[in-house]
Amino acid sequence: MNLLFTGASGFLGHNIYPLLKEKYNLETIGLTLLDNYTINLVSDIPKLNIKYDVVLHAAGKAHTIPENEQEKQAFFDVNLQGTKNLCTALENSSIPKAFIFISTVAVYGCDSGENITEEHPLNGTTPYALSKIKAEKYLEGWCAMHNVKLSIAHHPSKYFSALSILRPSLIAGPNPPGNLGAMIHGIKTNKYLSIAGGKARKSVLMVQDIANLLPMLIEKGGIYNVCDSYQPSFRELEMVICKQLNKKTPISIPYWLAKSMAVMGDCLGAKAPINSLKLCKITSSLTFSNEKAVRELGWKPMNVLENFRIE
């Protein structure tokens, strides 16, 4: 089975590429020269010379906070225009059996909440969230034009192709980016403080589970939140990281002290280690429901606390 994989040089791609290589005739295309195709999806339309059975579109821009209009536009250039150019390339070649798009739970626009489902409105307002929302909507329209259905579960003989939109939570794996990477760096350098006992819970996904889901998604499309069934607390994540780094469990400071530090951070600007926005995220639970993916796909997610390894 021929698989076209975009974004193989990113964090997600780097970790699941070896797993996919074992099962599929794999080619990659994306935003850097590390991919098989050196074309830039943002500005160019690749020429695809063979028919791909499956497309896994993971190329995207994330994990940065834009400071100006140009940096905001970069999210739409990569996440939306890159998707459009990929679809045009497929139109010029052939429509795949399965198209799997890696989106994000950021599309919901939630800073807090528990067991948020796929039915939640797409209220994201950041450039990252908006660019992913627009890419999702574009793909839904494009797939409708080309007989690629969001779900073929009830009509397996009627449609030949399926679109899957995955909305991962925080992703865990070796050398992760984003907030999890910042936590590891802080603990490693003894610059990390736990806040209010680290009771807030977050949804986390093992990076390998994206590869594990692929065979199920090829046969059956749909929109799915993907995360571990157990929602670990900050304290539990801290303890897993500390054990692997042979570090003592970080000191936990009371909320009132963290709040005072956050107010000072608001005045200092972007370079401050903590501000009111970061404090809110650290002390508020934000979890998502994976019940739909478990029920419809028969998926058994990996346990993050048992399987998370750092390098």
Side-chain angles (χ1 to χ4, degrees), residues 160-178:
F160 66 89
S161 299
L163 167 66
S164 294
I165 295 174
L166 296 187
R167 294 172 180 162
S169 61
L170 186 69
I171 301 180
N175 299 314

Side-chain angles (χ1 to χ4, degrees), residues 192-214:
Y192 181 88
L193 293 173
S194 186
I195 297 174
K199 297 177 182 178
R201 295 187 175 275
K202 301 291 181 181
S203 288
V204 190
L205 173 74
M206 284 304 303
V207 67
Q208 297 97 315
D209 260 328
I210 298 292
N212 295 339
L213 277 162
L214 227 67

Side-chain angles (χ1 to χ4, degrees), residues 245-267:
L245 294 176
N246 197 27
K247 295 281 188 178
K248 294 182 179 179
T249 305
I251 297 172
S252 178
I253 62 173
Y255 181 83
W256 65 264
L257 179 57
K259 181 63 177 176
S260 300
M261 296 168 62
V263 171
M264 292 178 60
D266 293 338
C267 299

